[in-house]
Amino acid sequence: MNHSLGLDNWVALSATLEALHLRNANGELGNINPTHAHGAKVEARLAYAERACKVALLLLRRLKTGTTGGTTEENNLSGAARRRSLQVDDISIERFSVSFTPSNQGEDPTVDTRDTIERVLGYFNAIRSSGVPGGCNISTVGEAEIKCALDSVIDVTSTADDLASFHTTGNQSDGLHKLGILLYQLFARGESPQLDRGDREDPVCGDSQEDNGGQSPRKHIQHLSGVSESLSEKGVPVSLCRLVTDLIDSTEEGGTPFNSLDEVCEEVKQILDRPDIFFHDVNWLDFSSGLIGRSEEMQRLHDAAASVQMGAGELGNRLVLLKGFPGAGKSYLASNIQGELAESGWLYVQTKFDRFVQNPLLTMASSFDELLASLEEEGDILENLEAVMSSSAIVTLSEWLPSLRQLFPHILRRVISDEDLVSLANVDQRRRRSNDMTSSSESAQSRLHYIFRKFVSALSSPDRPLLIVLDDLQWADNSCLDLISSLLMDFNHLNQFGIANDTPQCFLVMGSYRENEVDSTHMLSSYLETFERSNTLQVTNIQLDGITKSDTNLMISEMLGLSLRLTKSLTDAVQAKTLGNPLYIHAFMQSLVKEKLLVHSVAKKRWIWDIEAIQSLSVQGSIAEVLTRKISYIPHDTQEALKVMSTFGSQIREEYIHHLYPLQEKQQEFRDRLNAAVEESVIEKIGSKYKFVHDMVQQAVYELMSPQERAECHLQNGVKMISVLSCCKDSHLDLGLITFAAIDHINIAKSLGVTDSSMCTQFAELNLKAGERTMEKFNFTSGLSYIEHGLSFLTKESKWSSSNYDLCRSLHEAACLACYVNALPTKANEYISELLENAHCLEHKLKAYYVMVKNLTSSGENKQALKKTFDVLIELGETFPTEYTPEIVQKELSKTKGILNNLTKESILTSPKLTDEKKLWAIKFMDNLSGPLTISTNYQMGPLIACRMVQLSSQYGYCSESAFGFLGYGLAQISVFEDVDEGYRWGKIALSLLESLGGKGYLPKMRCLFSSYVSLWKEPYQVSSNVLLHSHSEAMMVGDVEYASISAFFYNRQCLVCGQNLMLAEKECKAIASKMVHLKQIQMCYGQVNTYIFILKINGNYDKVNPFPEIFDGNIANDEELLNLALSSGKQINAKGILSNRCQVAFWLGHYEEAAELAEKARPPPKMSFMEVYHIFCEGLTAFQLARRSSSSAASKWMEIGEEAVERFRFYEKCSTWNYENMLFLLEAEYHRCKQEEGEAAAKYRASIKSAQEHRFVHEEALALEFYGDFLCSIRRAVESKQSYANARVCYEKWGAHAIIPRLEEKIGQIE
């Protein structure tokens, strides 16, 4: 049951609560500070106004509906009753009632609202009887209970006659006039306005600065004077005073009339929604209103965030791109969603790129480092980071994110010993690091990408997702965009080869860019296209244009603290000038204040404006013009400080100020000027940074200077900063943000044509240090930029002078390396040529030669790479025969064996490290030969190269590359002498040697080669496939994308020979091929496509799937074209692999004549290789099949081939029973069948089937069962034959060989 109370009594009750608050404020119940007392009084009056506002809104809604809220009988009063007009003298709040409901619970759900209302109403009646609030005992009813009752009002009701009176006069202004009187009584605590009797005509408002809305003079029923003043005296907010005044008489003080009851309702609701704005006199431009006009865009951002948190990331990462013109609100929108998500538990990191920062990756790293520093107390997150990231990965990433050193000191102490830390300052150690960088730089970026992906994946979780905001992407460089691309499109929440596991990505990347600055030629454009085309990335594009006029009106309304109705005329003018650009609107409004076209009237307690003057302003649609005008009003000394700040980009750090002005007095003076700019809302102070409120403001300030002034300011800043940096004296000290900022200033000045010629050498040295340090942190794009700037400071005449020779040589070495890593072969060759032309000796040419060989190899020019390598080795004193024979190879192997006979594993592992510079480079160049040799016709030279590496290492000492010499020697023992045990032993020693030398970066490569070429002769295939899977992950971790791809290829191949399901194999194979293309490892694609074709042809999907979608730039459509490409480019091993693959496909599909023909073309396969094993297996079984079908003369030929295969497998089986026993038994069974030795054949078939079962080779089990079925059928044992075929079919099904199953069904059908 609802309680009811007359509206006049509600007003009295609400006034009673106000009186109690005021009595407390006056100190009647205790001593209160006068300042606090005044504030309490104001709050009491505003609280009454807010309560009255809520009731007013209910009243307005009741008037809009026109229903009484009472009984049906009351609602159906006669038309005559409804037509009666209410006279002004009769207008009273007494004609209305309010309804209370106990269902509206307060903040305390335990409060019995019904009882509270009843007690409050009883208390109120007692007050009414006594006449004063103090006249009764209030101990039973407190202020909170009265407030609870007042807040329980849910409706305002009245009689039909009274409601009809507001609608029946036919004059809308009459009804609004009456409403004004009613609201006056409500806000004036029940008092009525003073009446000024008599009709009169309103004068036209001629000299007012406000728009009168184009209204004509009109007759009023009654004119009420001093409405606004009388309400204001009662503490009613200005906005409500204005509303009531304009309802009663809009001509008073140049008011603006209402046009409808809806308009009144909207205004009351606006005031009620934002009491923080409209209950106060706003005498400044209030920019705190928040996001306006972007609700749809915010919802799309929330949807993207929700999809990440709910696990949609399992299907792909999420990228949101905000694009629009400067000032459209991209950064503000991102900031708002960032704040809202942070409140719900999201982590966030924000990177703002800057056009003046030469090393954007350092900016991005700094942002993530700040996030890490904030997680010191987040134990769960740190534990997960340590669990997911390897120790070496954390150490590597700590170079990029220094906070990791503070968060995980135990890991750094464990991984980096004290001796290692001290040795970093040693000259020899630095030289060795530089040499290592030359040989491993191409993997550094890939390593960073992989580790960073694992880092982000470990940092985020469904409970604490991560928001990554990247602002102003148009100023990011290739290094940043490559890292972002890798994060978005390379998956760590999938396993290495694309099969989803249970750990979804839990991060959202939000990027913004200036649409007008990114055309089709812009660097960012190609990345955006790649993002859109990606099948693994969900992209949401959000276009930010100007906001609508209605949103602009809302913005201006809240900015000025005036209702929407009052700001319409101003909004029309502002929208026309700014086109709804939010930044433009803010700047334009500030300029109006500065030019006194928009002023705050003390008398009227509101903003007023000269609309005609504003409309006549000449603004050419340029926000820069408005901002420049705004800045021009700032004092000159403040402008000068802002100019200095603008040369640092969007913000300046406190530490930069310290280095700009070493004297404390000057520092404070500069800060004071910046603080003055903060007061002008040009910049803001955030922590220890001063930041421009928008990039366009920074740009406007910067462009106040002429190009010459800008250049001189940059140079002065840079010189000031480096003059106080100790790193200029100690070249080995780490370079920090301040140093990079100083160097950036110097370089910008140089690009603008200004420098200090007396300091050019110092500037070049600083750029060399910055470039080398940047490349050590995996950023070769910015590194190259620093290096090229360094070279620009050296004139053509002084470049290679004796005083600059070492500096110039180091710059060229770094330049050619950076160009190689950045895939700029032409530019790399230019630096290489100049360095070789001017180098004084061979030692000074070696880095250039090394990069040259790498450049040739990556460009596919393997012959030239081999020739240049051997030429360099000759200069290093290492010659090799131009022609070689098996005798030469065996002789060299014997010589090496003689040396090694005198060494034990322990003596090798404890031998000294190689220190001879020339020999170190010689071994590096020899190790680099492994790639070009394996795909050339000179692959037999491998044993000679390995022997020389072992000999040099044994004589001069060991380095990481020495281990590969020992591995090569072990491989030679297997391939030349077929001594598997000896080869396996030296392979294990090579692994141990590499581990003892600390060559962690080379371990994945070593394990890959060992598992692919050595361990297959001794260990089960299943074991080596697991090692290869791990090697792939390790290789990605150290950035070795070449051997990550090779490991993936061999893993895929090993899984196939283990009988992996072909449907799963197809998915993995496709993922591996895509990854190879992404990593630009096209050479490995030959073998991978071969494997892919085999899988598709055997599982029956070859006609449904294109295995050549992205590979080889789309120029290859089938395996015939692939073969022609391999032959034409001299890749003989690849060509043999393609032919051997075709042979195996033909064999498994039962096309034996074709298989025999292809086997002949693919001969001879590399000796003691994986290819040889399966080539001989398929060729041998094919030969026995053909022998049974051929005439006696032809059969002898096939039998000879088959018998050779049997003998070869008897050797293989001795090496590894697990891997080759079942294959040997099947070959022997086929041999006995050809010899018509039925008993022996049957026994061997059964032994092959059993061995394949025990060793888990389901595909070879299927083959043995099928061949056994053929054999049983040939000797007329039909029932057993049919059962064997049925068993074979089950195994083929398990394997996924759907292209073979029809053959089995046909054979079963023939028996039936």
Side-chain angles (χ1 to χ4, degrees), residues 1114-1135:
N1115 296 324
I1116 301 299
N1118 52 58
D1119 58 345
E1120 188 63 36
E1121 292 181 6
L1122 183 66
L1123 176 62
N1124 292 334
L1125 178 63
L1127 291 170
S1128 63
S1129 56
K1131 297 179 174 62
Q1132 298 299 320
I1133 295 297
N1134 289 331

Side-chain angles (χ1 to χ4, degrees), residues 165-197:
S165 69
F166 286 90
H167 301 282
T168 58
T169 63
N171 185 344
Q172 181 171 261
S173 62
D174 182 24
L176 296 176
H177 177 80
K178 295 174 183 177
L179 176 62
I181 295 174
L182 196 64
L183 292 184
Y184 183 99
Q185 294 173 358
L186 181 62
F187 291 120
R189 284 76 171 169
E191 293 183 16
S192 295
Q194 294 180 1
L195 299 179
D196 181 11
R197 300 291 178 181

Side-chain angles (χ1 to χ4, degrees), residues 1089-1110:
V1089 169
N1090 260 341
T1091 304
Y1092 203 1
I1093 291 171
F1094 176 87
I1095 293 169
L1096 293 173
K1097 287 190 174 181
I1098 302 303
N1099 73 7
N1101 285 340
Y1102 186 72
D1103 295 330
K1104 305 173 188 175
V1105 178
N1106 177 16
F1108 305 94
E1110 303 169 323

Side-chain angles (χ1 to χ4, degrees), residues 751-770:
S751 67
L752 294 173
V754 175
T755 191
D756 185 341
S757 57
S758 66
M759 300 181 72
C760 280
T761 299
Q762 185 181 1
F763 293 161
E765 290 172 345
L766 282 168
N767 272 285
L768 174 62
K769 294 172 191 171

